[in-house]
Amino acid sequence: WLKSSGQAPGRLFEAAGEAWRPHRVVAMFWRSLARRAEAKLQHGSFGGFFHSEALTGALPRKQNSPQRPAYGLYPELLSGTAFTVPRAKNRYAWLYRVRPSVQHSPQSAALYEPWAHPTWVSPPFRHPCPPVQFRFRPLPPVAGSIDFVDGAATVAANGDPTAQDGCSANAYAVTTSMSANNRFMRHADADVLILPQDGDLIVRTEFGDLHVGPCELALVQRGTVFQVNLPEGSSGARGYFLENFGDFFVVPELGPIGISGGLAHPRHFLAPEARYEERDGDFELVSKFMGRLFRSPLRHSPFDVVAWYGNLAPCKYDMRLFAAMNTVTYDHPDPSINVVLSSYTTAPGLANVDFVIFPPRWMAAEGTFRPPWFHRNYMSEFMGLLHGNYDAKPDSFVPGASSVHNRFTPHGPDAAAVRAGTEADTTKPERYSNSLAFMWETRLPWHPSEHALATMNDADYPTCWADVEKRFDASAQPGDEPYAFPFEGRGK
């Protein structure tokens, strides 16, 4: 591994600097192996068809359900849409497995034990939600053996999972793998979008494994059994995840941007290679259905899929590959220019939820206030920070925190950002570096959970605008308004 890294061991450790620790080298080792394995991950169009088999000949090529499948496997259809949905929007996968999934489910209703999770809850909520700006602190450090399901906490949500409408914004903090607890998860209500903020994850699914770290995402479609595990040598991880109750995610149309490049390219979404196990034991299945959690015993591991094909498959995406668009003349584009994925409604252009990122990029607008302007929007915003700082709140918004600005609630840059944006020399381009913020923008207002309001709420957040200077001077009559981006250049 050291040889393949292109550095001698001494140089490698030297590059790590004073922060070098043995566990960091272990993590780098596993990350290197995972990245090598990703050379086998299949490239393709997001929403396109993938094929994979762990045993040669396990995947039928000429039909879906042969009378006598290879290796004695059971064909099984996983349909993500109604059968008669137009082909362009239809989503499904065929799986060829050791046991049919009816044997990976409890044998009676009595074995589905309702679970009143203390922090992971589902809308609709009944407690009051004032139209104020909210900020929520990161989850506190966790102790003990806490896996992804135990360590999930709902920050805010909207809609109704039973009606397949809306979404739920959550945070997680974990110290152990679900595999260590012999636990599996099946979510019937939502597609799950996972954003690591600190620490790598191995998202294991019926289709195979996805290794994701900070600046990457994993998307697991509803109905798919999965685990969220820690790589060997990791002591913990934290981040965010979204439950999308609405229509499935798509990459946005590019319109006049054209096909050559821009935003998230479908070919950069990677699907896993088939991987299976034949394992019996005392397992637990956690199900989420109609907004409620259930725990059930299992006898067989559901990760027994030997081959699969389809366009309903888990995937990962590296957000460092996002080709950001921006103005090269003047003014500030709408944040929709940074959409990675959208879940649309039946109304044209209206999203159930947009997933937007604010990656490193150049800001070149002249004669322009470059930070986000003050605004009141129809859409409701949930903001999070994966890395670095955010230009509209450079001194107060920390990684792992979140904010909620609901429909028509005023918000914008804080006083420090206003001063910096007003005094900046806009004849010089500025590179925003070392930062990755994101936004889940929805048509429905975000309703904070009672847990978030009681334990994570920064009640003083709205005061960050108290020091924004009053600049109005009725006697300061302006001259002729110049062009923000003069044809002949500045000072000509």
Side-chain angles (χ1 to χ4, degrees):
W1 166 68
L2 292 174
K3 183 177 179 180
S4 68
S5 72
Q7 301 188 61
R11 291 288 303 278
L12 186 68
F13 298 150
E14 179 183 338
E18 295 180 0
W20 174 82
R21 296 288 189 274
H23 74 272
R24 291 179 181 267
V25 176
V26 171
M28 291 169 69
F29 172 73
W30 284 106
R31 189 175 295 114
S32 175
L33 291 182
R35 296 298 181 258
R36 279 197 228 168
E38 282 176 4
K40 296 182 178 180
L41 286 170
Q42 301 160 72
H43 296 256
S45 172
F46 183 81
F49 279 81
F50 298 89
H51 303 74
S52 186
E53 57 184 13
L55 295 177
T56 303
L59 183 66
R61 305 292 175 175
K62 299 179 180 179
Q63 66 179 117
N64 292 324
S65 185
Q67 184 181 17
R68 295 182 177 86
Y71 301 101
L73 298 172
Y74 286 92
E76 182 174 277
L77 173 66
L78 178 63
S79 59
T81 52
F83 298 128
T84 53
V85 164
R87 179 173 289 198
K89 294 192 65 176
N90 217 305
R91 296 291 184 269
Y92 64 91
W94 276 94
L95 298 85
Y96 300 88
R97 56 195 319 151
V98 175
R99 296 174 181 270
S101 60
V102 290
Q103 293 190 359
H104 303 311
S105 300
Q107 301 300 304
S108 72
L111 294 176
Y112 285 95
E113 177 192 355
W115 182 14
H117 197 293
T119 57
W120 188 12
V121 293
S122 294
F125 303 145
R126 301 302 179 192
H127 55 276
C129 176
V132 70
Q133 305 92 349
F134 291 101
R135 175 177 289 167
F136 299 100
R137 292 179 286 269
L139 288 177
V142 294
S145 180
I146 304 296
D147 68 19
F148 180 82
V149 175
D150 293 325
T154 301
V155 181
N158 56 45
D160 186 337
T162 303
Q164 294 288 267
D165 184 36
C167 49
S168 181
N170 310 276
Y172 69 86
V174 305
T175 60
T176 193
S177 299
M178 289 176 63
S179 61
N181 293 334
N182 284 331
R183 177 179 275 177
F184 304 92
M185 177 80 202
R186 184 172 63 204
H187 205 315
D189 293 339
D191 297 336
V192 180
L193 177 67
I194 303 173
L195 302 177
Q197 180 259 312
D198 183 18
D200 288 16
L201 300 174
I202 297 175
V203 181
R204 191 171 187 192
T205 76
E206 295 175 271
F207 294 75
D209 299 356
L210 297 168
H211 189 126
V212 291
C215 299
E216 296 179 309
L217 66 84
L219 177 62
V220 181
Q221 284 80 2
R222 68 198 74 187
T224 301
V225 178
F226 68 97
Q227 287 177 334
V228 177
N229 298 326
L230 298 176
E232 187 170 332
S234 173
S235 59
R238 59 177 52 237
Y240 307 84
F241 71 98
L242 177 82
E243 297 167 272
N244 172 26
F245 308 133
D247 205 1
F248 54 78
F249 278 114
V250 296
V251 290
E253 300 293 340
L254 293 179
I257 294 175
I259 63 171
S260 298
L263 311 187
H265 200 290
R267 75 186 183 101
H268 291 144
F269 289 83
L270 307 179
E273 288 250 315
R275 178 191 173 200
Y276 74 96
E277 66 182 17
E278 292 184 78
R279 196 157 63 96
D280 298 332
D282 294 324
F283 305 118
E284 182 181 64
L285 175 68
V286 177
S287 304
K288 200 165 191 190
F289 180 65
M290 297 179 65
R292 297 181 181 275
L293 285 164
F294 300 87
R295 293 188 291 194
S296 310
L298 286 185
R299 293 172 50 208
H300 316 292
S301 168
F303 293 153
D304 65 353
V305 176
V306 180
W308 62 269
Y309 89 89
N311 61 0
L312 184 73
C315 62
K316 61 170 287 183
Y317 174 71
D318 187 340
M319 290 178 277
R320 288 163 290 202
L321 299 174
F322 185 81
M325 302 282 105
N326 211 339
T327 182
V328 290
T329 54
Y330 66 92
D331 277 354
H332 195 298
D334 290 321
S336 51
I337 199 67
N338 289 318
V339 170
V340 180
L341 296 169
S342 288
S343 164
Y344 290 117
T345 65
T346 55
L350 181 62
N352 175 62
V353 58
D354 284 326
F355 172 51
V356 184
I357 64 172
F358 303 95
R361 62 202 183 278
W362 282 100
M363 300 293 284
E366 286 194 28
T368 295
F369 182 74
R370 288 177 176 173
W373 54 65
F374 290 100
H375 52 291
R376 293 175 293 159
N377 290 345
Y378 170 80
M379 300 289 276
S380 296
E381 303 173 1
F382 179 100
M383 288 284 301
L385 185 60
L386 297 168
H387 183 74
N389 55 36
Y390 179 55
D391 57 317
K393 308 284 191 303
D395 301 322
S396 56
F397 198 38
V398 299
S402 53
S403 65
V404 167
H405 301 133
N406 272 323
R407 179 186 301 164
F408 299 127
T409 300
H411 56 286
D414 62 15
V418 169
R419 287 191 294 271
T422 303
E423 297 167 2
D425 181 358
T426 61
T427 64
K428 299 177 181 178
E430 180 183 3
R431 192 182 194 278
Y432 284 9
S433 302
N434 203 33
S435 174
L436 183 59
F438 75 90
M439 179 167 66
W440 290 320
E441 189 171 66
T442 71
R443 69 182 182 93
L444 298 174
W446 288 105
H447 195 159
S449 70
E450 289 182 307
H451 173 78
L453 290 171
T455 66
M456 302 167 65
N457 189 24
D458 180 359
D460 294 331
Y461 170 52
T463 64
C464 75
W465 292 285
D467 294 333
V468 174
E469 179 185 5
K470 179 185 175 184
R471 304 181 304 196
F472 177 71
D473 183 354
S475 66
Q477 189 170 1
D480 293 337
E481 182 180 0
Y483 287 104
F485 190 79
F487 273 24
E488 65 276 13
R490 294 281 175 182
K492 298 290 183 70

